[in-house]
Each structure stands twice: as C-alpha cells, then as structure tokens.
C-alpha cells in the first residue's frame, strides 16, 4: 500500500523530486529555501518528494489531503567532513532517524545511501547501518529505497558501470525494496531491471549543462523499464524549473518523445 502511493495511477510511474541535499551539504545553491522549493514542486504536480526528517516535520501541513504527493524520508547521514557545508570523503555512516519514527510521520518509504570504495572500517559500518534499516523496515512494513554510489577513494572511477551494477545487485541481496541508481545506458539498465526484479528509479546527479540531455536520459530510462526518476539539482538548480518539470511529466506519464518535448517546451 505504501509503495503504491509512490506511483502515478495514470502511468504507473513517478516523478520524484529530491530535496534532502542540505542534510549532507548544508546550504546548497538553488535550495537555499527548501520549503519554498518544495511548495513550487508540489504546485507543479510532482508525484513524490525526497525529504530530510527536519524539513518533513516543518512541512507536514503541505501533505494533508488525498491528492498530496508521496513522501520518501532520508534516514541516514554519511559523514563526509567535520566542517559543515564541506564534503571530502565518507569516514562514518549513521542512522539519524528510526523507521518507527518514519511510520509515525506517515511517510510512504525511507531512503538510505550505500556508498562503496571506502576504508574497510567505514565500509563495514555502512553494511551494518543498511542491515539494521532492512530489519526495521521489515518489522514496520516500510519500503526501503537503497542508493548505491561509488564515493570512496578505493574507486578510481565513480561512473564505472560494472561496479555500479554489482553494487545494485548487492543492495538487492541485502534486502532493498527499491533501487535509486544512476543511468547506466538503456540496454544495461533494462538488463538490471529484468534481472533484479525490483522497482528502479534513476537519480539525476550533478546538474547537467544541457536540459535536453536530461530529457533524453529520462526517455531512455522509461523505455528501459524504470519506474521513474528521483531528480534534485537538475530540477531546482534551473531557472526554468516549472518548464523542466512539465517536460519531465510529459515523458514519464504521457510517453511523449524527447524531440517532441524539446519542441513543445522550447528547451
């Protein structure tokens, strides 16, 4: 029941906006006022939002009513620096919110990061944190979104597709209900979705210089069988956020082609 709230009934897919970046990075360009950005995203008709616990509590009133978007709650914090606003490398990984608290908040899923390539002690801590989250989610019937990423010094290339595919597989083996992964190319992503048999959402990553390239990625992600996207900086770091969201919805829910959307929204 909770997972079904993440999906648009029209298409069975979802446009989810990630607004939890301040939890790790502090003040982020384009997300200086997360409540204002959230209100704008809701007014544009997004299907769901990814929030930190603090912002989720601040904005509970925005999600009253049956037509409100779904909420996914980030419940962990990979420590990347001892200085606020900086991110150097992950040296520790902690749960900051329990699944029981998330249930009381009536969110629809929780999300946890799964960084790879860390020092051995930090990597072991990551696995312990995720295992605990899996156990709690099973107890409370809460969907768990796991986001495998290559962030550590022991990984020379963050976009190594073979390593990302293996990381996705391990996340599923540990107990992830939903995957949030970067776009790996249409054919490889389709293969992962077919083999792993759980819902997959594509993340946006750093802001791309080309909004057209982002639209093309979304089209190929949908064609591969992805349930949708969880985009942050590639939405709210753009001055034409409303037009970008409308374009994304046209691809995800209306199955419009990339070229048609570019012309329709003059992107």
């Amino acid at each position: 029941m909770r997972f079904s709230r993440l999906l648009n009934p029209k298409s069975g897919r979802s446009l989810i906006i990630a607004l939890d970046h301040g939890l790790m990075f502090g003040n982020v360009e384009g997300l200086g006022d997360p409540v204002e950005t959230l209100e704008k995203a809701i007014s544009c008709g997004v299907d769901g939002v990814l929030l930190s616990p603090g912002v989720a509590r601040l904005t509970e009133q925005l999600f009253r009513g049956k037509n409100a978007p779904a909420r996914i709650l980030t419940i962990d914090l990979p420590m990347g620096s001892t200085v606020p606003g900086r991110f150097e490398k992950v040296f520790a990984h902690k749960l900051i919110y329990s699944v029981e608290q998330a249930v009381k908040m009536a969110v629809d899923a929780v999300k946890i990061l799964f960084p790879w390539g860390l020092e051995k002690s930090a990597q072991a801590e990551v696995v312990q944190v995720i295992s605990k989250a899996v156990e709690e989610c099973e107890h409370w019937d809460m969907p768990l979104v796991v986001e495998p990423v290559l962030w550590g010094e022991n990984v020379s290339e963050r976009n190594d597709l073979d390593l990302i595919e293996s990381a996705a597989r391990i996340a599923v083996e540990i107990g992830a209900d939903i995957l949030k992964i970067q776009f790996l190319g249409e054919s490889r992503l389709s293969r992962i979705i077919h083999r792993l048999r759980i819902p997959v959402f594509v993340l946006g990553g750093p802001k791309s210089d080309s909004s057209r390239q982002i639209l093309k990625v979304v089209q190929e992600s949908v064609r591969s069988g992805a349930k949708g996207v969880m985009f942050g900086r590639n939405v709210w770091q753009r001055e034409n956020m409303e037009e970008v969201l409308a374009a994304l919805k046209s691809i995800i829910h209306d199955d419009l082609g990339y070229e048609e959307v570019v012309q329709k929204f003059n992107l």
Side-chain angles (χ1 to χ4, degrees), residues 89-155:
K89 69 174 184 177
V90 177
F91 61 87
H93 193 197
K94 304 295 181 182
L95 285 177
I96 59 168
Y97 216 64
S98 71
V99 177
E100 181 178 5
Q101 287 175 296
V103 170
K104 290 180 179 179
M105 193 179 283
V107 300
D108 303 290
V110 296
K111 196 273 295 186
I112 194 165
L113 202 72
F114 197 170
W116 281 94
L118 313 180
E119 295 180 0
K120 290 180 180 180
S121 59
Q123 194 70 66
E125 186 176 43
V126 169
V127 174
Q128 289 177 334
V129 166
I130 294 175
S131 298
K132 179 176 175 58
V134 168
E135 181 181 0
E136 290 189 10
C137 284
E138 288 180 350
H139 177 76
W140 293 103
D141 290 327
M142 176 67 73
L144 174 63
V145 182
V146 176
E147 180 180 355
V149 292
L150 308 178
W151 279 10
E153 292 183 329
N154 293 325
V155 177

Side-chain angles (χ1 to χ4, degrees), residues 161 164-165 168 179 181 184 187-198 200:
L161 301 186
I164 294 169
E165 186 169 354
L179 282 176
I181 61 175
L184 305 174
S187 61
R188 186 185 286 254
L189 185 59
S190 177
R191 183 178 70 192
I192 289 175
I193 293 170
H194 175 74
R195 288 179 173 177
L196 299 186
R197 303 173 190 270
I198 71 170
V200 171

Side-chain angles (χ1 to χ4, degrees), residues 21-28 80-88:
H21 295 65
L23 184 59
M24 280 196 295
F25 305 116
N27 288 320
V28 183
S81 176
T82 58
V83 179
R86 296 182 186 176
F87 195 89
E88 297 159 0

